[in-house]
Amino acid sequence: MRVFLELGWFFKERKKHYLIGVLMLLIVAFLGVLPPRIIGFVVDEISRGSLTPAFLMKWLGLLAAAACAMYVLRYAWRQMIFGSSVLLARNLRKQLFDHLTRMSPAFYQKRRVGDLMAHATNDLQAVQQTAGPGVLTLVDSFATGGFVIAAMAFTINWKLTLIVLLPMPLMAYLTNYYGKLLHERFHRAQESFSGLNDKTQESISGMKVIKTFGQEQEDIEDFQRLSGKVVEENIRVARVDSLFDPTISAIIGVCYFLTIGFGSYFVTRGEMTIGDLVAFTAYLGLLVWPMLAFGWLFNIVERGRASYDRIRSLLAEPVDIDDRENALDKRPEGNIVVSVEKFQFPGDERSALRDVHFMLKRGETLGIAGKTGSGKSAILRLLLREFDRYEGEITFGNVPIQDYKKQRLREAIGYVPQDHFLFSTTVAGNIAFARPNAKMEEVVQAAKLAHIHDDILNFADGYNTVVGERGVSLSGGQKQRISIARALMMRPELLILDDSLSAVDAKTEEAILESLKKTRTGETTIITSHRLSAIQHAHQILVMHEGSVAEIGTHEALLERKGRYYEMYQLQQLEALVEQGGEA
Amino acid sequence: MEEQKVLTGKAQWLVFKRLMHYLVPHKKMVFLALGLLALTVLGDVLGPLLIKTFIDDYLTPGTFPTGPVAGLALGYLFIQVSNVIISYFQLLKFQEAALKIIQQLRIDVFTKVQNLGMRYFDKTPAGSMVSRVTNDTEAIKEMFVSVLIGFIQSAFLIVGVYTAMFFLNVRLALMTLVLLPLLFGIMFLYRKYSSVFYQDLRERLGQLNAKLSESIQGMGMIQAFGQEQRLQDEFNDINDKHWAAGRRNIKLDGLLLRPAIDIVYAIALIMLLSYFGVMSFSSTVEVGVIYAFVTYVDRFFEPIGQVMQRLSIFQQAIVAASRVFALLDEEDLAPRQENALGTITSGKIEFRNVTFSYDGKNDVLKNISFTAEPGQTVALVGHTGSGKSSIINLLMRFYEFKNGDILIDGKSVKSYSAKELRSKMGLVLQDPFLFYGTIDSNIRLHNHSMTDSDVRAAAEFVQADRFIEDLPDTYGQAVTERGSTFSSGQRQLVAFARTMATDPKILVLDEATANIDTETEVAIQTSLEKMRRGRTTIAIAHRLSTIQDAELILVLHHGEIVERGTHQQLLSNRGLYHKMYLLQNGIVE
Ligand SMILES: Nc1ncnc2c1ncn2[C@@H]1O[C@H](COP(=O)(O)OP(=O)(O)OP(=O)(O)O)[C@@H](O)[C@H]1O
Ligand SMILES: Nc1ncnc2c1ncn2[C@@H]1O[C@H](COP(=O)(O)OP(=O)(O)OP(=O)(O)O)[C@@H](O)[C@H]1O
Ligand SMILES: [Mg+2]
Ligand SMILES: [Mg+2]
């Protein structure tokens, strides 16, 4: 039942609704005692043969009035209590989403999509059940149970009532014990469901690979195994879950037994009549529902607690990249100075960057080359403040990037990532992602700059063509160029192209670089590429090797050095020569 | 998210019937559970009977002979104890059956998903598909667990109660029959509106999930472009609509479910009392009959109330099931292969006048014809979007083509079994995809017969061994979702190694080294060169250097092959290839 305390903040927030709702519930429970009474009166009159039309009318009228009042009240408390529970789900879902948008890549690296999704669906559902039907059952079972027990004690025989209530502590103990068992089992069941979600999500995202390797059957078997685990865990839940009803019926059985046994004793002693005994058993019958509901309540509440635990632990994940106090509310511009002594990716002992120092003047272009895994993208990700923990400092316009508001810093950077990610909206929507209210002309202009305009015009619906999830219905080069257009839309102070021309042909690459050079005169650009043709015109070229800067300088200076850059260049030239068959 | 049309009553009935079919394989368990249920009902009836006997025969006269009273007590205890045990197993069995049914349904849907064509994946958000496999089926589970058994129990009771009432007083029983249309009316109304409302609710939930799933996956981009606020607003908008739909449902449930039934109950009581009351004005009425009727009406409404309470779960389950079945009935299947026994031996590939379109309107490939002899390397070059990957999509049978034919070893690709094709052809995709797991599991995939040294050899082949061996856990290094902790080049190498590990007869490379440095690329080229004998290769590359010694180079332009020949021939043709080539080498004419 702890979950009710844990959700206390919400009940407080909706105090009025819950109080009114509970009050209505109590009134309904009380009104519920009326019909049997009215029947009793009328039947008594009939049996005495003294029933008059006026009397009948009066009581039946009362009955009808009570029924109408109950209808209205029942409808109204549902709005109050259930209405609040869906509000809770909505608010928690919003909180979850807001929290997710604040989490850094370090978080997404360790969490899986399917699992996060399960939090927002299954777990929220369980919490909603607790705040709605859970509260209802709690109140209802206590109220009905209380009224009935009071009726038993005060109108019939309090001694018998006490005796009959003897097994109740046992019931409380057992249901509590089951509840504990359930808690752990629910946790595991929910986790296995998350696992299944993860599996499904991944298989669907990686469907092309599965098809390529003809592993559909094996993948289905894997799914079968995981879904088998879900069944197993849920059967573990069911084993405890199914104990509630029989246990409670058993207890009720014992109560009946005690009633009849002791009741008979009292009857023979003349302390009560047989009629009293029959009425007493009838009341006992009324107790069945609240007690069963109590068992059911445990089920809802334990499920809710397990889920709420999961949600809370997700919401408790600290936001590791946040604005400093008094952060500058200004779009950064100016020179960029990177001086990083050491950087390790979270959860990795190896240092991804060591002693990286360079200065990039405003308006200049920096090229970064280097082998796969040498740390090119790592530098760029630090510039974007995807990670904050490193030794050293990065300044933008003489101010450490951590001192700007995150929002303002990123506003100044147009980032074209190495792995392009497009959203499942229209082409125009994707290009105008950062400026959704931009005019169509601007979108077209960005598209033209990225040399994707002609391709777009050839699509079935032009700029209104909906690209599938992640842009599945586009060719590799089209995706890359839409990403570029998207970054250009921001008219960024700093444009970052992370190997973003790898899927376009030489002609397009050349054209894009040319138009960048023409339009971006005062602004800074960073390009990483394996094809030296893309960076050789840069003002400065950085050659990375195993996380450190191996060489730095202009194209000519680096050739002069006859180091790594020279080797790379030679290799690419050599290939070109071989291509020409030695002609040139 | 595709819109579903509103379910008619008939459609709902069909969905329900189809769900019931899932019970068939578990009929033994279901019958067992029902048998147990009957036993517990019997116990419920017998228990009070024993008490009645005790009251009437012993308590009332006030004599308590030890033997019979002890017998009754023991009998009562025996019934109670066995009832507890039986009902435990009945509950457990029913849940087990429900869980197994849902598992089967899930496997069916998942299997179906595996058999869908790429076209379907192009147009459906992953989040909404996932939601059908897991969440919608979960909603159906609730129906099997709590609704079905309740319905059956209630049906038993209702029939029993009516029989008893007719037994007691035919006229009155007929009168209470009037209640039935009233009840059915309420149910009808409820069904009519709730199916619309619940469908709306589930659709909104689907939208929420799709939005959430995409946002989680694209969070990097959202943050880089500072669009958190906008995405929050968009999400809130959907969230609010979902909330509104939820409230609408609560209103409907409140108007038509339990509260409405209780009103009918009150009407029934009033009816009974006025009947007996009015009767009593003219003649005498037996009180026992009134009691019996009142009790029966009570008994009658109790299961009805339960059924109505669960009707909303039922309605949700039907809507969820209709979504699941819609996916199961999806006709956008993967291209069919006749399960012929042919095997690919030499690896000759021939395209004959292949014309293809993704959407049936714009032809992406036009009249493509070429031949790759066994052991040859054929290169595809051309501007981006010219249709290179599409050619491969057809060869790999990701999409069905209508015009022309693709032949392997002289026979149509359609006539090989899918297994044969997949085991002989290896493809390195343009966008590498890594699975959650380890490096080893990513190279090996589900192929358990592959030895550790095979895995290593494949990694060495593509020069991935160097970085893998530097990892703290080498081949056992954990790979997070989509391999987010590796550099793009490293991901591409692992994906490449995965293909080489299967030692394919036909190797298809779609920009397999686009994100890889030149040095590594050259080393891979050399390995490929060494292993070329007997392997047909189709390669796409923007860096012409990587395809220089292909036996045949095809230049694509707007889906057509505009030039073909060897490198030398093409250069001397002074066509598009020549131009591309000059550009790439920075030579200005
Ligand atoms: N799944 C799809 N659905 C619809 N259209 C598609 C799909 N895949 C590709 N296209 C379209 O078909 C055309 C050819 O695409 P394809 O991927 O074959 O190009 P490509 O030559 O591989 O280009 P790149 O070098 O950029 O990878 C493009 O205009 C693209 O938009
Ligand atoms: N999130 C991460 N956690 C741990 N290690 C990482 C993470 N991201 C990258 N690395 C590792 O850091 C190193 C540098 O990666 P980075 O992405 O910067 O390489 P890169 O130079 O961009 O390579 P490529 O040319 O392949 O894009 C690699 O060895 C990579 O495996
Ligand atoms: Mg990189
Ligand atoms: Mg392509």
Side-chain angles (χ1 to χ4, degrees):
Chain A
M1 297 289 148
R2 248 205 354 251
V3 67
F4 286 121
L5 280 183
E6 286 164 359
L7 284 172
W9 61 270
F10 179 72
F11 297 135
K12 259 190 221 128
E13 218 176 280
R14 299 276 291 179
K15 201 159 53 201
K16 217 174 78 201
H17 290 84
Y18 274 103
L19 281 181
I20 296 179
V22 167
L23 191 68
M24 287 173 164
L25 260 177
L26 292 178
I27 299 177
V28 170
F30 179 73
L31 286 180
V33 183
L34 274 187
R37 275 279 65 134
I38 295 176
I39 297 172
F41 289 150
V42 174
V43 170
D44 279 349
E45 291 296 308
I46 292 180
S47 66
R48 269 187 245 123
S50 54
L51 185 75
T52 60
F55 185 89
L56 186 65
M57 284 302 286
K58 185 175 107 196
W59 287 108
L60 289 188
L62 192 65
L63 186 62
C68 291
M70 268 154 82
Y71 181 76
V72 173
L73 286 172
R74 279 194 167 114
Y75 173 79
W77 71 247
R78 273 181 168 77
Q79 307 310 310
M80 294 290 160
I81 295 181
F82 290 175
S84 294
S85 76
V86 288
L87 182 78
L88 174 66
R90 182 196 79 142
N91 290 355
L92 281 179
R93 193 177 284 118
K94 177 172 149 53
Q95 268 183 39
L96 266 183
F97 190 84
D98 288 359
H99 193 65
L100 285 177
T101 59
R102 278 195 287 275
M103 299 318 282
S104 72
F107 168 85
Y108 287 102
Q109 221 165 278
K110 54 179 204 258
R111 293 295 193 133
R112 302 186 64 184
V113 180
D115 177 48
L116 292 176
M117 296 287 299
H119 279 83
T121 52
N122 235 24
D123 287 334
L124 272 186
Q125 175 74 22
V127 174
Q128 180 184 332
Q129 286 286 318
T130 307
V135 170
L136 155 69
T137 316
L138 181 72
V139 175
D140 205 28
S141 56
F142 271 115
T144 315
F147 281 132
V148 171
I149 290 175
M152 278 157 66
F154 296 122
T155 66
I156 304 185
N157 186 321
W158 63 268
K159 270 194 266 172
L160 191 57
T161 310
L162 272 187
I163 293 171
V164 165
L165 289 183
L166 275 183
M168 290 299 150
L170 178 67
M171 186 184 91
Y173 169 77
L174 283 177
T175 45
N176 204 2
Y177 173 66
Y178 298 158
K180 281 210 194 86
L181 286 183
L182 266 187
H183 183 65
E184 179 262 353
R185 292 175 189 221
F186 272 138
H187 250 286
R188 294 184 46 172
Q190 249 114 321
E191 250 146 50
S192 67
F193 181 82
S194 270
L196 193 70
N197 235 11
D198 281 333
K199 167 81 202 162
T200 315
Q201 173 87 32
E202 185 169 67
S203 291
I204 290 173
S205 313
M207 189 51 70
K208 210 160 183 183
V209 178
I210 292 171
K211 282 192 190 296
T212 302
F213 287 85
Q215 299 218 314
E216 289 96 334
Q217 203 47 50
E218 287 82 353
D219 203 51
I220 292 171
E221 275 158 28
D222 204 30
F223 180 85
Q224 216 150 3
R225 190 177 58 75
L226 281 173
S227 65
K229 206 166 128 60
V230 172
V231 171
E232 217 173 90
E233 293 295 347
N234 276 292
I235 287 183
R236 283 189 74 229
V237 170
R239 284 210 188 100
V240 177
D241 196 23
S242 311
L243 277 174
F244 278 108
D245 281 9
T247 305
I248 291 166
S249 328
I251 301 266
I252 292 170
V254 172
C255 290
Y256 267 106
F257 197 72
L258 288 175
T259 308
I260 299 301
F262 284 89
S264 309
Y265 173 72
F266 288 136
V267 169
T268 46
R269 288 262 308 259
E271 285 186 32
M272 52 192 274
T273 63
I274 292 187
D276 282 344
L277 185 60
V278 174
F280 198 89
T281 53
Y283 274 125
L284 208 52
L286 285 184
L287 267 187
V288 175
W289 146 244
M291 293 213 289
L292 284 181
F294 211 67
W296 195 53
L297 176 67
F298 262 95
N299 190 321
I300 298 181
V301 164
E302 287 306 327
R303 207 180 279 263
R305 185 151 82 99
S307 289
Y308 193 54
D309 279 355
R310 276 161 55 87
I311 292 176
R312 276 201 312 176
S313 79
L314 187 61
L315 285 175
E317 288 272 349
V319 178
D320 51 356
I321 304 218
D322 212 350
D323 290 339
R324 284 213 179 133
E325 253 175 78
N326 304 323
L328 278 179
D329 193 4
K330 163 182 146 207
R331 187 175 140 126
E333 51 183 45
N335 299 346
I336 295 168
V337 179
V338 173
S339 94
V340 174
E341 261 93 57
K342 189 166 155 211
F343 167 62
Q344 291 167 309
F345 279 106
D348 197 6
E349 305 105 65
R350 299 165 302 150
S351 40
L353 293 178
R354 238 171 300 109
D355 296 319
V356 176
H357 304 277
F358 65 87
M359 208 250 295
L360 179 57
K361 285 214 197 79
R362 185 169 193 205
E364 293 201 336
T365 299
L366 173 75
I368 307 182
K371 285 180 66 169
T372 280
S374 57
K376 302 181 294 295
S377 304
I379 299 181
L380 306 178
R381 296 176 72 184
L382 290 191
L383 273 171
L384 273 162
R385 251 193 104 190
E386 281 194 13
F387 302 95
D388 252 357
R389 291 229 189 95
Y390 50 88
E391 291 168 27
E393 194 178 52
I394 299 177
T395 59
F396 198 153
N398 288 324
V399 178
I401 51 172
Q402 281 83 0
D403 287 352
Y404 289 104
K405 280 203 162 161
K406 198 169 65 175
Q407 180 82 18
R408 301 311 302 267
L409 172 74
R410 289 178 177 162
E411 215 176 84
I413 304 177
Y415 176 46
V416 186
Q418 203 162 9
D419 311 297
H420 29 69
F421 184 98
L422 298 184
F423 292 86
S424 52
T425 161
T426 60
V427 171
N430 267 296
I431 296 180
F433 183 66
R435 291 174 49 213
N437 300 321
K439 283 204 216 74
M440 196 59 203
E441 296 92 77
E442 291 179 273
V443 173
V444 171
Q445 206 204 337
K448 278 184 180 154
L449 272 180
H451 287 259
I452 182 72
H453 179 68
D454 294 337
D455 289 60
I456 296 175
L457 290 188
N458 275 328
F459 293 161
D461 298 317
Y463 280 89
N464 291 324
T465 310
V466 175
V467 310
E469 213 174 35
R470 283 175 184 265
V472 274
S473 58
L474 299 171
S475 87
Q478 286 165 347
K479 276 184 275 197
Q480 273 191 340
R481 282 173 294 153
I482 290 180
S483 296
I484 295 176
R486 174 172 69 186
L488 289 175
M489 262 314 268
M490 298 173 76
R491 291 194 229 97
E493 167 71 19
L494 170 63
L495 176 69
I496 294 180
L497 299 176
D498 191 357
D499 207 8
S500 318
L501 298 164
S502 62
V504 300
D505 52 279
K507 180 179 151 212
T508 317
E509 173 185 303
E510 167 103 2
I512 293 175
L513 288 172
E514 197 52 44
S515 54
L516 286 185
K517 208 192 280 173
K518 249 186 258 149
T519 53
R520 294 180 55 77
T521 44
E523 293 113 334
T524 320
T525 307
I526 301 182
I527 303 177
T528 80
S529 173
H530 290 296
R531 265 189 270 168
L532 300 184
S533 55
I535 56 174
Q536 64 187 20
H537 302 295
H539 297 88
Q540 196 178 188
I541 296 168
L542 209 62
V543 183
M544 294 295 294
H545 185 68
E546 295 183 350
S548 313
V549 180
E551 293 165 15
I552 189 164
T554 61
H555 178 66
E556 289 73 25
L558 288 176
L559 284 186
E560 201 83 342
R561 260 189 74 146
K562 301 225 182 318
R564 288 182 189 282
Y565 187 83
Y566 176 76
E567 270 170 39
M568 265 191 270
Y569 188 73
Q570 284 302 308
L571 209 53
Q572 292 188 5
Q573 290 302 316
L574 191 70
E575 285 183 0
L577 254 165
V578 175
E579 271 174 41
Q580 280 167 302
E583 236 177 46
Chain B
M1 172 113 316
E2 79 241 58
E3 291 282 321
Q4 253 186 306
K5 53 181 189 316
V6 172
L7 287 171
T8 60
K10 191 155 160 263
Q12 289 186 42
W13 176 239
L14 287 179
V15 167
F16 178 71
K17 273 213 304 214
R18 194 159 161 193
L19 269 181
M20 288 304 105
H21 273 294
Y22 276 86
L23 281 173
V24 174
H26 301 276
K27 42 174 191 290
K28 271 210 200 107
M29 222 199 280
V30 173
F31 278 124
L32 180 65
L34 282 182
L36 293 178
L37 178 71
L39 278 182
T40 59
V41 171
L42 195 68
D44 283 344
V45 175
L46 280 183
L49 217 67
L50 288 186
I51 293 182
K52 182 195 157 289
T53 318
F54 173 76
I55 294 177
D56 286 354
D57 294 1
Y58 304 106
L59 186 57
T60 317
T63 51
F64 301 99
T66 340
V69 172
L72 277 180
L74 281 181
Y76 181 76
L77 283 181
F78 172 75
I79 290 177
Q80 281 299 328
V81 171
S82 38
N83 221 1
V84 165
I85 297 174
I86 293 173
S87 68
Y88 176 71
F89 282 105
Q90 175 252 318
L91 287 169
L92 190 59
K93 284 289 152 208
F94 229 94
Q95 294 217 34
E96 261 177 46
L99 287 166
K100 296 246 165 73
I101 288 168
I102 293 310
Q103 184 192 18
Q104 191 53 50
L105 191 61
R106 283 195 173 134
I107 292 173
D108 286 357
V109 187
F110 190 77
T111 307
K112 175 71 186 198
V113 167
Q114 294 274 2
N115 287 322
L116 289 172
M118 288 314 295
R119 202 184 298 274
Y120 187 79
F121 293 91
D122 287 354
K123 63 175 195 228
T124 318
S128 97
M129 259 192 268
V130 174
S131 155
R132 295 196 189 196
V133 178
T134 57
N135 291 323
D136 283 337
T137 50
E138 189 74 13
I140 301 174
K141 182 178 103 189
E142 285 307 308
M143 184 191 94
F144 279 113
V145 172
S146 63
V147 179
L148 220 49
I149 194 111
F151 280 10
I152 295 171
Q153 217 167 357
S154 311
F156 279 155
L157 267 170
I158 292 174
V159 171
V161 167
Y162 258 105
T163 321
M165 286 206 276
F166 271 101
F167 219 68
L168 279 174
N169 185 332
V170 177
R171 207 150 99 217
L172 198 53
L174 280 177
M175 259 175 71
T176 49
L177 270 185
V178 177
L179 296 176
L180 283 185
L182 206 58
L183 288 173
F184 281 125
I186 292 177
M187 283 199 203
F188 173 79
L189 268 182
Y190 180 73
R191 217 222 64 236
K192 186 169 157 207
Y193 290 106
S194 73
S195 65
V196 180
F197 286 10
Y198 273 110
Q199 211 170 340
D200 182 49
L201 185 70
R202 275 215 98 73
E203 230 136 74
R204 302 236 177 255
L205 188 65
Q207 286 169 8
L208 260 180
N209 287 343
K211 188 86 193 167
L212 187 65
S213 145
E214 189 178 36
S215 304
I216 290 175
Q217 298 187 53
M219 194 55 79
M221 279 306 95
I222 293 170
Q223 292 177 344
F225 286 90
Q227 295 302 305
E228 292 97 330
Q229 192 55 51
R230 174 159 71 98
L231 264 289
Q232 283 171 14
D233 292 346
E234 283 177 22
F235 184 80
N236 284 346
D237 186 45
I238 305 179
N239 196 9
D240 285 348
K241 286 197 180 120
H242 175 254
W243 178 50
R247 276 184 310 173
R248 212 162 53 142
N249 273 309
I250 291 176
K251 288 213 180 91
L252 183 73
D253 287 2
L255 280 178
L256 290 179
L257 288 187
R258 198 60 201 248
I261 295 306
D262 280 314
I263 278 268
V264 180
Y265 170 63
I267 295 176
L269 277 186
I270 294 175
M271 223 165 74
L272 274 182
L273 289 183
S274 3
Y275 173 82
F276 286 118
V278 172
M279 280 247 299
S280 77
F281 296 147
S282 52
S283 62
T284 52
V285 181
E286 273 176 77
V287 178
V289 176
I290 310 181
Y291 261 118
F293 257 93
V294 170
T295 327
Y296 280 129
V297 167
D298 247 1
R299 277 284 150 81
F300 173 74
F301 272 95
E302 144 113 10
I304 296 266
Q306 299 243 353
V307 165
M308 288 308 272
Q309 197 81 304
R310 289 166 179 166
L311 212 54
S312 69
I313 303 179
F314 177 73
Q315 198 61 55
Q316 289 191 56
I318 292 292
V319 171
S322 77
R323 285 160 53 86
V324 171
F325 289 147
L327 179 55
L328 276 177
D329 295 340
E330 180 60 49
E331 276 163 13
D332 230 334
L333 290 183
R336 283 190 60 81
Q337 301 298 129
E338 288 132 42
N339 271 319
L341 293 171
T343 49
I344 298 173
T345 47
S346 53
K348 179 179 165 183
I349 300 169
E350 190 180 351
F351 271 65
R352 265 194 209 149
N353 307 326
V354 176
T355 297
F356 171 69
S357 154
Y358 285 104
D359 53 9
K361 281 178 254 159
N362 297 332
D363 282 346
V364 170
L365 295 176
K366 294 163 206 150
N367 209 17
I368 301 286
S369 304
F370 69 89
T371 310
E373 297 295 339
Q376 271 191 346
T377 297
V378 172
L380 298 172
V381 301
H383 294 317
T384 104
S386 56
K388 305 179 294 292
S389 300
S390 304
I391 290 189
I392 286 174
N393 279 342
L394 296 191
L395 177 63
M396 294 301 295
R397 303 287 290 138
F398 290 145
Y399 296 86
E400 183 62 284
F401 56 90
K402 299 242 163 52
N403 307 314
D405 205 358
I406 301 173
L407 310 170
I408 296 182
D409 286 355
K411 279 195 290 184
S412 168
V413 271
K414 295 181 188 176
S415 68
Y416 289 100
S417 69
K419 196 159 171 284
E420 176 66 13
L421 280 180
R422 303 303 185 206
S423 67
K424 292 291 164 61
M425 295 207 280
L427 164 68
V428 184
L429 286 163
Q430 197 166 7
D431 297 312
F433 183 92
L434 298 196
F435 293 96
Y436 185 88
T438 61
I439 296 272
D440 182 85
S441 74
N442 262 290
I443 295 180
R444 189 192 292 277
L445 293 181
H446 290 297
N447 189 345
H448 299 295
S449 60
M450 205 177 278
T451 64
D452 284 352
S453 59
D454 289 340
V455 172
R456 263 149 234 260
E460 271 164 42
F461 188 96
V462 299
Q463 307 285 316
D465 58 325
R466 279 187 279 164
F467 94 84
I468 296 175
E469 262 148 37
D470 273 349
L471 297 169
D473 293 327
T474 65
Y475 287 86
Q477 179 81 15
V479 175
T480 56
E481 213 151 74
R482 284 180 184 259
S484 59
T485 60
F486 293 95
S487 86
S488 307
Q490 290 167 340
R491 282 201 286 269
Q492 205 160 35
L493 288 181
V494 174
F496 205 150
R498 175 196 284 163
T499 302
M500 295 321 292
T502 64
D503 189 21
K505 186 94 203 139
I506 297 169
L507 179 63
V508 185
L509 305 175
D510 191 353
E511 307 256 17
T513 54
N515 291 314
I516 295 170
D517 58 277
T518 320
E519 195 185 323
T520 310
E521 186 178 15
V522 170
I524 296 175
Q525 284 298 329
T526 322
S527 325
L528 281 176
E529 198 64 33
K530 269 188 258 158
M531 304 287 291
R532 249 182 80 178
R533 199 144 309 122
R535 172 178 292 154
T536 314
T537 307
I538 295 197
I540 298 180
H542 283 303
R543 284 185 255 176
L544 301 184
S545 56
T546 54
I547 46 145
Q548 68 224 352
D549 35 36
E551 273 86 0
L552 175 65
I553 296 176
L554 306 172
V555 182
L556 260 91
H557 189 69
H558 287 312
E560 274 171 289
I561 298 181
V562 290
E563 284 172 48
R564 61 176 78 211
T566 62
H567 180 67
Q568 289 303 335
Q569 290 166 352
L570 288 175
L571 277 188
S572 50
N573 273 0
R574 303 209 152 247
L576 190 63
Y577 186 82
H578 181 70
K579 244 189 248 158
M580 285 163 63
Y581 175 75
L582 288 185
L583 249 165
Q584 208 163 96
N585 290 296
I587 304 165
V588 189
E589 267 182 304

